[in-house]
Amino acid sequence: MRVELPENDQSGGVLPLEDAAATALALTELVEVRRDTPTRWRILPRRNRIGAVRVGELEVVVRPKAAFASVMFMLGYARDPGYLPWEVDGFVEDDLWSAVGETLARLAERGLMQGVLQGYVTRDDALGVLRGRVRAADQAARRPGALLPLEVTYDEYEPDIAENRILRAALNRMMLVPRLPRRVHSRLGHLSGRLDGVSPLVPGAPLPAWRRTRMNLRYQPALQLAEVVLRSVGLSSTVGGMPVASFVVDMATVFEDFATTALRESLFRLSPRGRTVAQHQAWADEGERVRIKPDIVHFAGRQPRIVFDAKYKLGSEDGGYPTSDVYQMHAYCTALGLRRGYLVYAGSRAEGAGASTHRILNTEIDVVQWPLDVRAVPAELLDQIDVLAIDAGQYP
């Protein structure tokens, strides 16, 4: 059985569920689960959460405003501005599991096209010959008076590096998702096989650290998504043994992170000498007791020039937005000494809604409410960000 609900739906749906399945659904934190009758449960999407959960034969999908492919793009781009729009182009079906699996397979294939990445791995071992350096303290503690074997530490050039461990773990995690399309499952399995011999990650342990280098450049888009998969795709089972798979995303966080990264990149192209700061901390009062933290502030030298705040909200059908947001941006502009600030929204319910500017009475401050159409394909979404950055850059 498949149930689809729109994001932030207030009515939800009523389903006949066993208690174990209802508990498993609630634990994924995608939906709230409330008993409606002794055998039926009402499910309601949690605020700004989207994703999919499979519990046994039941699948619950909470659909975002954007297509799932666009959500995958925003997730990837927020972590890596080199993540390209065409990485998610061409999906035949708008299904979350297919979008995640297909994107991971595409990026992994691209990363492995030139072969499996190798690197130096530090090994501790007991050997009959000297290799690397002797760990004198361990030699004395474990083999007092013995000449061989030697407790040594050496570097081995091999594929068992953090990048391959993360990538293979993500491929294997996706393969365990119930009822994943066969073609996607097959591609993931083939890619995992190419990493045969790479050691598995320890369940529950932090992901191994890796850093961006010229050597792993081709792996980087795949690694960004692999980390998302390992942190977001949950696999478990109910008390009765039903398999549970979940992929849950907080769209408010995704939208804010995407808008911050995309604006930073766009503003840098317009003003390479400027710098864009996320979550900039400042004070609203002279006594420095009231802290403010706008999402994005662009500086020229030490002087703030532009302020943005990302809001994962839809405007009303008449094109309006909450007035409290305007008060907030007015405070930001006043504290930062700016005459213009931008509230960036995830769309509007009004047909053809565009930017609207509000001049605050008895001041020279303009607050601009700027909707982005998150339903647009990724390339068009980035174009919208560019238009916003150009508009903001016109004002001193």
Side-chain angles (χ1 to χ4, degrees):
M1 177 171 57
R2 178 184 173 95
V3 178
E4 291 194 14
L5 301 170
E7 180 184 356
N8 293 329
D9 179 42
Q10 297 299 307
S11 56
V14 179
L15 303 175
L17 295 174
E18 297 179 6
D19 288 359
T23 301
L25 265 181
L27 289 175
T28 65
E29 298 188 350
L30 176 64
V31 293
E32 294 182 20
V33 183
R34 305 172 185 171
R35 191 182 291 275
D36 201 63
T37 70
T39 59
R40 298 174 71 83
W41 300 77
R42 181 173 296 277
I43 56 174
L44 295 164
R46 291 184 180 270
R47 181 172 176 78
N48 296 333
R49 299 288 176 87
I50 65 97
V53 176
R54 285 176 175 166
V55 181
E57 295 301 313
L58 170 68
E59 181 173 23
V60 176
V61 178
V62 178
R63 287 193 164 274
K65 306 180 186 79
F68 281 129
S70 294
V71 172
M72 295 308 303
F73 171 73
M74 286 191 281
L75 270 169
Y77 192 91
R79 290 165 173 79
D80 177 13
Y83 198 82
L84 302 172
W86 52 83
E87 306 287 12
V88 296
D89 282 351
F91 288 119
V92 176
E93 50 190 325
D94 188 21
D95 172 76
L96 177 58
W97 299 111
S98 296
V100 177
E102 174 77 15
T103 306
L104 182 61
R106 286 185 186 185
L107 298 180
E109 285 169 348
R110 196 162 301 162
L112 293 169
M113 188 177 297
Q114 300 174 33
V116 176
L117 187 68
Q118 297 192 52
Y120 286 101
V121 179
T122 300
R123 300 288 190 194
D124 292 337
D125 207 346
L127 301 178
V129 296
L130 178 61
R131 185 177 183 186
R133 61 180 180 82
V134 177
R135 302 193 315 277
D138 289 342
Q139 184 74 20
R142 297 178 184 178
R143 310 179 195 283
L147 296 178
L148 296 174
L150 296 171
E151 295 290 335
V152 296
T153 295
Y154 60 92
D155 291 332
E156 183 80 17
Y157 192 69
E158 59 179 50
D160 195 19
I161 56 178
E163 290 93 330
N164 287 326
R165 296 179 67 200
I166 291 171
L167 184 56
R168 191 179 192 200
L171 292 167
N172 291 340
R173 176 76 62 88
M174 280 305 304
M175 289 172 62
L176 294 175
V177 172
R179 302 193 303 282
L180 191 70
R182 183 177 299 178
R183 57 181 174 75
V184 177
H185 189 278
S186 177
R187 289 173 67 189
L188 295 171
H190 173 73
L191 291 163
S192 178
R194 293 190 61 184
L195 296 169
D196 188 37
V198 174
S199 58
L201 299 183
V202 177
L207 296 181
W210 64 280
R211 60 186 181 86
R212 295 172 181 273
T213 67
R214 181 178 57 82
M215 298 300 295
N216 64 21
L217 185 64
R218 59 188 168 98
Y219 262 50
Q220 289 173 17
L223 288 172
Q224 297 293 343
L225 181 56
E227 291 185 329
V228 171
V229 167
L230 292 173
R231 292 189 173 108
S232 302
V233 175
L235 298 171
S236 60
S237 60
T238 66
V239 175
M242 288 185 291
V244 179
S246 62
F247 188 96
V248 181
V249 171
D250 185 333
M251 283 303 299
T253 301
V254 171
F255 179 72
E256 180 180 310
D257 291 348
F258 167 75
T260 299
T261 302
L263 279 167
R264 179 189 292 120
E265 293 297 303
S266 190
L267 289 166
F268 178 77
R269 290 192 293 272
L270 293 171
S271 176
R273 294 185 179 181
R275 63 186 178 94
T276 306
V277 179
Q279 300 297 313
H280 174 66
Q281 297 195 36
W283 300 101
D285 65 319
E286 293 180 354
E288 295 188 349
R289 296 180 181 178
V290 181
R291 190 181 295 277
I292 60 172
K293 193 166 67 171
D295 291 335
I296 309 161
V297 179
H298 184 71
F299 288 82
R302 296 185 177 183
Q303 184 66 33
R305 293 297 186 191
I306 314 171
V307 59
F308 305 88
D309 213 53
K311 304 288 186 184
Y312 191 68
K313 300 176 182 179
L314 280 176
S316 61
E317 293 183 359
D318 63 0
Y321 294 93
T323 55
S324 59
D325 296 343
V326 177
Y327 303 154
Q328 182 184 37
M329 182 53 68
H330 179 207
Y332 289 166
C333 289
T334 301
L336 296 172
L338 298 175
R339 296 171 57 184
R340 192 174 181 89
Y342 289 80
L343 292 163
V344 185
Y345 292 95
S348 174
R349 293 185 181 89
E351 188 69 28
S356 57
T357 302
H358 306 279
R359 170 61 59 91
I360 305 301
L361 282 174
N362 301 317
T363 76
E364 294 184 347
I365 294 175
D366 289 330
V367 174
V368 183
Q369 295 176 316
W370 192 290
L372 295 175
D373 183 4
V374 295
R375 297 169 299 179
V377 297
E380 292 177 3
L381 188 53
L382 290 178
D383 287 344
Q384 293 180 58
I385 292 286
D386 285 342
V387 171
L388 169 57
I390 291 170
D391 187 87
Q394 296 180 55
Y395 299 91

